[in-house]
């Protein structure tokens, strides 16, 4: 407990910590409180405010670390800071602005950006994010997943997160640690004594992903550190596969993302870890080849071949025909059907026949529900919708996103379902049924039977994962070192899909899909491959025009993109609406009457 000395001074309370050397705090009221009680541990403040119909009154109470010598203009300063904050969040909201015919998904994407900003903090050791606010614990697994979405919304934050991870999160031998405390002056490395974890390969993916989208030169800048991490993975091979040697339980005995299940062990040859490590080493082969390091490229490619062959010969169940959960340290195979089946599919380590079997299994009702994917099949004997933080049968939205993305080649509609199911519950018409929900925030986890929210009201890692699913799953963007693929997974009844201000290296991408064609600006045509419904379609290069002079007047939400075709006269505007729009679009001096039904769009040549 912390005790404080409270010193009243007009509308301000000065709060001095008694049993620590922390800075003073202050609490200041814009209007005098009607009732103010306090002691050395708590403050109770009551204000009575009368508001007439249609009247707006602002009453501000400010709390801050550090005293102020002169508080005469503190509320004016607050207004300046508040306005600056609004401008900054609007910049974030306009980045990677994905707009679809579905309002729920549109709302989810925008709220995901807000929630990302809420958990990006400047700690003593640098910019990072915690998986358990308000603590300073930074888990490397979650940091890596965070980067995959942050790259499209706050790429500068991604850059700092990776700098942070590379500086503080690597053991001397190259293993990526499980977590650190970001407010320690010299952060210690906490890894639960595991010889291998998922944090290690995932960090390689995050660095590769960030470099491809922001600056490929970072691959050469970080190559020695990447190589150190990759080589550590190779030291953990046993008979051609990555082997986890722990015989403990809980966090000390689980190699993988479901690591907080009590009295549970998941070690030996673990399918999740081997899938991630094969993928990471394959990325290292690509990076080495890109950097013209032929010896390393050959070395890593050879290891990938060996690991793939061993995966397919040792980790496929003769009972289910699917990848096993693990081959434990006692030599026993575990044929459990869990959400972890997603990893061989997500990381492309099995053949097409097994991929299809996995996709079919993961989308059956025993796993896939209207509220998201269960972590363990309902048909398994150890299924429990509540036990182990809902990791033995409950619903974790991040797993839903992974599955939606992974099965997209077989069941493209599942990308839409995943996005819809993950966010729709957040804005439920009757939130009390689900409990522990906050409008606009992505909950952490749910009971697998009654679907009640059982974790944090705001999952720190889910918002960027939602962004990742929207851009790489729904839109189907895939950025590689020298190529860009656009392979959307959209419902058949959608007429269009839009995106604005997608950060890509030194430019922004603006694009829309209309009548099966991709209209895109910001990148050269020859770098793009585009396919929809399994067939190659036209890519139409456009030039985005300045939209500063555009005004929208009317009812409803609208997306618009003003553009021209290269080397052609005439200006065009593409307009789309999720819930319908009736009004006018003022473009410079031109007035355009617009009337769109729900989910409709129009491509208009301006006179």
């Amino acid at each position: 407990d912390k005790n404080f000395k409270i010193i009243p001074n007009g509308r301000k309370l000065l709060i001095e910590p008694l049993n620590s050397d922390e800075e003073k705090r202050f609490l200041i009221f814009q209007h005098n409180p009607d009732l103010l009680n306090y002691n050395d541990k708590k403050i109770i403040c009551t204000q009575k405010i009368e508001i007439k119909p249609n009247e707006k009154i602002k009453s501000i109470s400010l709390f801050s670390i550090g005293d102020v010598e002169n508080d005469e203009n503190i509320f004016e300063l607050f207004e300046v800071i508040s306005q600056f904050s609004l401008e900054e969040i609007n910049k974030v909201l306009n980045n990677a602005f994905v707009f679809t015919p579905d309002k729920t998904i549109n709302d989810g994407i925008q709220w995901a950006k807000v929630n990302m900003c809420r958990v990006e903090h400047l700690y003593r050791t640098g910019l990072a994010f915690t998986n358990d606010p308000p603590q300073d614990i930074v888990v490397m697994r979650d940091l890596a997943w965070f980067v995959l979405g942050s790259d499209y919304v706050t790429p500068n934050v991604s850059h700092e997160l990776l700098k942070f991870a590379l500086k503080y999160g690597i053991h001397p031998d190259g293993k990526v640690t499980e977590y650190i405390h970001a407010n320690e002056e010299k952060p210690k490395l906490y890894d639960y004594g595991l010889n291998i974890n998922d944090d290690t390969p995932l960090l390689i993916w995050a660095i590769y992903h960030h470099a491809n989208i922001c600056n490929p030169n970072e691959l050469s800048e970080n190559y020695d550190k990447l190589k150190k991490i990759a080589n550590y993975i190779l030291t953990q091979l046993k008979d051609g596969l990555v082997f986890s040697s722990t015989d403990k339980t809980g966090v000390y005995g689980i190699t993988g993302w479901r690591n907080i299940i009590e009295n549970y062990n998941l070690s030996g040859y673990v399918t999740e870890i081997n899938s991630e490590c094969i993928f990471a080493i394959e990325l290292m082969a690509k990076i080495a080849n890109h950097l013209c390091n032929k010896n390393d490229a050959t070395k890593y490619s050879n290891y990938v071949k060996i690991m793939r062959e061993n995966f397919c010969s040792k980790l496929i169940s003769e009972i289910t025909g699917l990848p096993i959960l693990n081959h434990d340290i006692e030599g026993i195979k575990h044929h459990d059907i869990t959400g972890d089946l997603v990893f061989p599919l997500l990381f492309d380590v099995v053949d097409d026949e097994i991929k299809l079997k996995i996709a079919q299994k993961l989308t059956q009702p025993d796993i896939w529900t209207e509220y998201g994917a269960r972590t363990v099949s309902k048909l398994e004997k150890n299924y429990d919708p509540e036990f182990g933080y809902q990791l033995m049968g409950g619903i974790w939205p991040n797993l839903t996103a992974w599955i939606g993305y992974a099965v997209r080649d077989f069941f493209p509609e599942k990308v839409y379902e995943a996005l819809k199911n993950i966010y729709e519950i957040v804005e439920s018409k009757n939130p009390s049924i689900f409990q522990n929900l906050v409008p606009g925030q992505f909950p952490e986890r749910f009971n697998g039977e009654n679907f009640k929210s059982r974790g944090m009201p705001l999952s720190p890692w889910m918002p960027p994962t939602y962004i990742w699913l929207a851009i790489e799953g729904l839109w189907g963007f895939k950025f590689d070192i020298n190529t860009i693929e656009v392979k959307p997974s959209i419902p058949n009844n959608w007429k269009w899909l839009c995106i604005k201000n997608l950060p890509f290296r030194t430019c922004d991408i603006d694009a829309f899909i209309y009548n099966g064609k991709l209209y895109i600006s910001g990148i050269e045509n020859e770098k793009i491959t585009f396919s929809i419904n399994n067939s190659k379609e036209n890519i139409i290069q456009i030039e985005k025009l300045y939209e500063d002079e555009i005004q929208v007047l009317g009812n409803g939400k609208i997306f618009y993109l003003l553009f021209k075709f290269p080397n052609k006269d005439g200006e065009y505007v593409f307009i789309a609406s999720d819930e319908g729009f009736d009004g006018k679009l003022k473009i410079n001096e031109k007035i355009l009457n617009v009337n769109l039904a729900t989910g409709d769009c129009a491509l208009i040549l301006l006179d």
Side-chain angles (χ1 to χ4, degrees):
D1 290 342
K2 295 180 180 178
N3 292 74
F4 300 89
K5 178 181 179 182
I6 311 294
I7 304 172
N9 181 10
R11 292 179 297 151
K12 183 173 73 172
L13 295 181
L14 182 62
I15 305 165
E16 293 184 350
L18 294 178
N19 52 358
S20 73
D21 59 356
E22 295 182 24
E23 290 186 64
K24 298 176 181 178
R25 279 92 161 140
F26 77 87
L27 179 62
I28 184 170
F29 305 97
Q30 188 174 22
H31 301 105
N32 288 325
D34 294 280
L35 178 65
L36 184 62
N37 292 325
Y38 54 85
N39 55 35
D40 62 344
K41 289 188 177 182
K42 65 181 179 181
I43 299 170
I44 300 175
C45 170
T46 303
Q47 281 188 310
K48 181 180 179 182
I49 300 174
E50 293 184 1
I51 303 177
K52 298 176 182 178
N54 299 318
E55 184 182 13
K56 292 182 180 180
I57 294 178
K58 184 181 292 185
S59 180
I60 304 171
S61 300
L62 299 178
F63 176 81
S64 180
I65 296 176
D67 192 15
V68 288
E69 295 181 2
N70 183 358
D71 55 65
E72 289 296 322
N73 299 317
I74 189 68
F75 291 101
E76 287 80 358
L77 177 60
F78 171 80
E79 293 291 351
V80 173
I81 295 172
S82 178
Q83 182 60 36
F84 174 77
S85 298
L86 287 173
E87 291 171 358
E88 290 301 301
I89 195 62
N90 281 330
K91 291 178 184 177
V92 171
L93 291 173
N94 285 326
N95 276 347
F97 183 77
V98 176
F99 197 68
T100 81
D102 191 287
K103 181 181 183 300
T104 299
I105 293 174
N106 295 338
D107 290 346
I109 291 168
Q110 293 301 86
W111 274 109
K113 299 171 187 176
V114 173
N115 292 330
M116 285 170 60
C117 293
R118 286 171 170 164
V119 295
E120 296 168 348
H121 297 300
L122 184 61
Y123 294 100
R124 182 176 295 179
T125 48
L127 188 66
F129 100 102
T130 178
N131 78 336
D132 192 13
Q135 299 190 69
D136 66 336
I137 294 174
V138 180
V139 177
M140 293 298 140
R141 162 195 315 108
D142 299 326
L143 181 147
W145 280 108
F146 195 99
V147 165
L148 300 185
S150 177
D151 278 343
Y152 299 115
V153 179
T154 51
N156 57 317
V157 172
S158 290
H159 184 76
E160 294 302 317
L161 289 176
L162 293 173
K163 277 177 56 180
F164 176 92
L166 289 171
K167 183 175 182 179
Y168 297 110
I170 314 297
H171 290 261
D173 56 9
K175 178 177 63 176
V176 178
T177 201
E178 173 73 10
Y179 71 92
I180 64 174
H181 287 277
N183 266 336
E184 291 180 343
E185 287 189 14
K186 294 183 179 180
K188 299 176 184 176
L189 301 171
Y190 299 88
D191 67 349
Y192 301 131
L194 298 172
N195 66 297
I196 190 66
N197 54 32
D198 55 331
D199 310 83
T200 301
L202 288 176
L203 186 59
I204 291 177
W205 184 21
I207 294 168
Y208 180 83
H209 188 275
H210 179 69
N212 280 327
I213 292 168
C214 297
N215 183 4
N217 291 333
E218 291 183 19
L219 294 175
S220 58
E221 293 168 6
N222 292 315
Y223 185 68
D224 289 343
K225 293 177 181 177
L226 285 166
K227 186 175 176 179
K228 186 176 182 180
I229 297 169
N231 288 346
Y232 177 79
I233 291 174
L234 298 179
T235 66
Q236 302 308 304
L237 293 180
K238 181 180 178 182
D239 297 328
L241 287 173
V242 174
F243 185 80
S244 169
S245 59
T246 178
D247 60 356
K248 298 179 174 59
T249 61
V251 293
Y252 302 97
I254 299 174
T255 307
W257 79 280
R258 294 188 296 133
N259 68 338
I260 50 175
I261 306 171
E262 295 177 8
N263 302 315
Y264 188 79
N265 172 272
L266 183 59
S267 62
Y269 298 110
V270 180
T271 288
E272 175 197 341
I273 298 301
N274 275 279
S275 300
E276 292 161 342
C277 288
I278 290 170
F279 179 71
I281 300 302
E282 193 166 41
L283 291 182
M284 286 302 301
K286 283 186 179 182
I287 295 168
N289 186 61
H290 169 67
L291 298 177
C292 299
N293 189 326
K294 293 183 179 180
N295 290 336
D296 282 354
T298 301
K299 167 188 167 181
Y300 292 128
S301 294
N302 288 339
Y303 271 110
V304 168
K305 183 179 179 182
I306 293 168
M307 294 167 74
R308 280 182 177 275
E309 289 174 351
N310 280 282
F311 188 102
C312 293
S313 64
K314 298 177 182 179
L315 296 184
I316 303 299
S317 169
E318 62 275 14
I319 297 173
T320 66
L322 298 164
I324 61 175
L325 179 63
N326 69 312
H327 189 295
D328 70 24
I329 59 175
E330 302 295 333
I332 299 171
K333 289 184 178 181
H334 296 264
H335 305 270
D336 309 40
I337 301 298
T338 76
D340 291 6
L341 280 172
V342 71
F343 295 107
L345 185 56
L346 181 63
F347 295 112
D348 192 22
V349 297
V350 290
D351 62 34
D352 289 344
E353 182 181 352
I354 296 176
K355 285 179 184 176
L356 177 58
K357 288 181 179 179
I358 295 172
Q360 289 172 332
K361 183 66 246 180
L362 289 173
T363 52
Q364 291 299 304
D366 53 310
I367 292 179
W368 190 266
T369 79
E370 63 180 311
Y371 298 108
R374 292 188 177 101
T375 49
V376 172
S377 165
K378 192 175 181 178
L379 304 178
E380 284 294 313
K381 61 183 179 181
N382 60 356
Y383 164 77
D384 189 316
E386 183 69 14
F387 177 70
Y389 297 91
Q390 295 75 53
L391 288 168
M392 292 299 294
I395 289 172
W396 282 62
N398 50 312
L399 174 63
T400 306
W402 299 340
I403 293 175
Y405 177 86
V407 305
R408 69 196 188 284
D409 285 344
F410 302 100
F411 309 114
E413 70 279 4
K414 293 300 178 184
V415 176
Y416 164 77
E417 284 184 30
L419 288 164
K420 186 86 167 179
N421 294 348
I422 288 168
Y423 189 73
E424 193 167 37
I425 196 171
V426 175
E427 296 188 351
S428 168
K429 293 180 180 178
N430 194 352
S432 62
I433 294 176
F434 302 101
Q435 301 179 355
N436 201 30
L437 292 180
V438 176
Q441 294 187 6
F442 292 77
E444 179 189 17
R445 47 193 163 87
F446 300 90
N447 180 284
E449 289 291 331
N450 59 33
F451 309 113
K452 294 186 186 298
S453 177
R454 303 289 289 124
M456 292 181 284
L458 172 57
S459 165
W461 56 82
M462 190 56 233
T465 301
Y466 197 81
I467 297 293
W468 167 78
L469 180 60
I471 293 173
E472 298 191 24
L474 189 67
W475 253 101
F477 277 103
K478 181 181 179 182
F479 298 95
D480 224 323
I481 295 173
N482 295 310
T483 61
I484 300 168
E485 180 182 280
V486 184
K487 189 178 181 182
S489 299
I490 56 179
N492 290 330
N493 62 339
W494 282 12
K495 301 176 183 178
W496 51 271
L497 184 64
C498 310
I499 192 166
K500 272 187 186 181
N501 306 320
L502 180 67
F504 176 66
R505 299 181 186 174
T506 58
C507 65
D508 285 339
I509 294 173
D510 300 273
F512 62 92
I513 296 169
Y514 176 61
N515 283 341
K517 295 180 174 61
L518 174 67
Y519 296 76
I520 190 164
S521 72
I523 44 181
E524 296 175 6
N525 198 22
E526 59 268 18
K527 291 184 178 180
I528 312 167
T529 60
F530 171 67
S531 60
I532 191 167
N533 297 328
N534 296 318
S535 63
K536 299 291 182 181
E537 296 288 348
N538 290 335
I539 302 171
I540 301 174
Q541 199 79 21
I542 61 174
E543 292 180 8
K544 180 183 177 181
L545 300 176
Y546 292 107
E547 298 177 339
D548 295 345
E549 301 300 319
I550 295 182
Q551 291 181 304
V552 179
L553 307 169
N555 298 316
K557 226 174 12 175
I558 193 172
F559 173 97
Y560 56 85
L561 182 64
L562 185 65
F563 69 93
K564 67 186 291 283
F565 295 106
N567 305 316
K568 290 185 180 179
D569 294 331
E571 295 182 357
Y572 294 78
V573 63
F574 180 77
I575 312 168
S577 181
D578 52 3
E579 290 194 305
F581 180 83
D582 185 15
K584 300 178 185 296
L585 202 62
K586 185 178 180 182
I587 305 174
N588 295 322
E589 299 303 319
K590 300 172 183 176
I591 303 293
L592 191 65
N593 292 314
V594 179
N595 187 280
L596 296 178
T598 300
D600 210 352
C601 66
L603 179 59
I604 302 170
L605 170 63
L606 301 177
D607 295 331

